[in-house]
Amino acid sequence: MNSKNRVYQVVAAIPKGKVLAYSEVAKLAGIKSPRWVGRHLHVNEDTNFIPCHRVVRKDGGVAEKFGGGGSKEHKRRLTKEGVMFVGNKVDMGKCGWKMNGK
């Protein structure tokens, strides 16, 4: 399986209301750089199956160049799913997801 498919597999598993950091997706997908996660997600053509909006920076920040309309759209999609924010950053303590189900 190539790196893009591994990234997509990890991201597809993130449940509604939860997020993972780019660095966490990279680690789980077995790739070295979180930047590759961003590159793969930027060309995602199936946002219904691969919910790329559920991936954020490790500090909870949303992507300024989010493909579907910038940071405002990124935050809107997450808020719609129940993701909680503290200011402009996701509350990673409450909404960060661990692949083991926590």
Side-chain angles (χ1 to χ4, degrees):
M1 181 182 303
N2 65 34
S3 66
K4 182 168 84 171
N5 289 337
R6 290 193 313 266
V7 166
Y8 288 176
Q9 184 177 34
V10 170
V11 174
I14 305 169
K16 286 184 180 181
K18 297 293 183 180
V19 298
L20 276 177
Y22 290 97
S23 58
E24 293 171 314
V25 173
K27 183 178 178 181
L28 291 168
I31 59 177
K32 293 182 181 182
S33 175
R35 290 184 184 270
W36 278 105
V37 172
R39 289 179 184 166
H40 291 321
L41 294 179
H42 190 72
V43 298
N44 174 23
E45 295 180 3
D46 188 359
T47 57
N48 290 322
F49 184 68
I50 311 298
C52 54
H53 64 282
R54 295 182 189 150
V55 182
V56 297
R57 291 189 222 140
K58 65 182 172 183
D59 69 353
V62 294
E64 293 176 17
K65 296 181 180 181
F66 181 72
S71 59
K72 287 183 182 179
E73 178 62 14
H74 196 178
K75 186 174 181 179
R76 186 194 71 76
R77 288 186 187 189
L78 290 171
T79 301
K80 184 178 176 183
E81 292 189 349
V83 172
M84 293 177 272
F85 283 78
V86 176
N88 284 325
K89 295 184 178 183
V90 171
D91 184 337
M92 296 300 281
K94 292 183 179 173
C95 298
W97 183 65
K98 301 294 181 205
M99 200 150 191
N100 66 3
K102 293 184 179 179

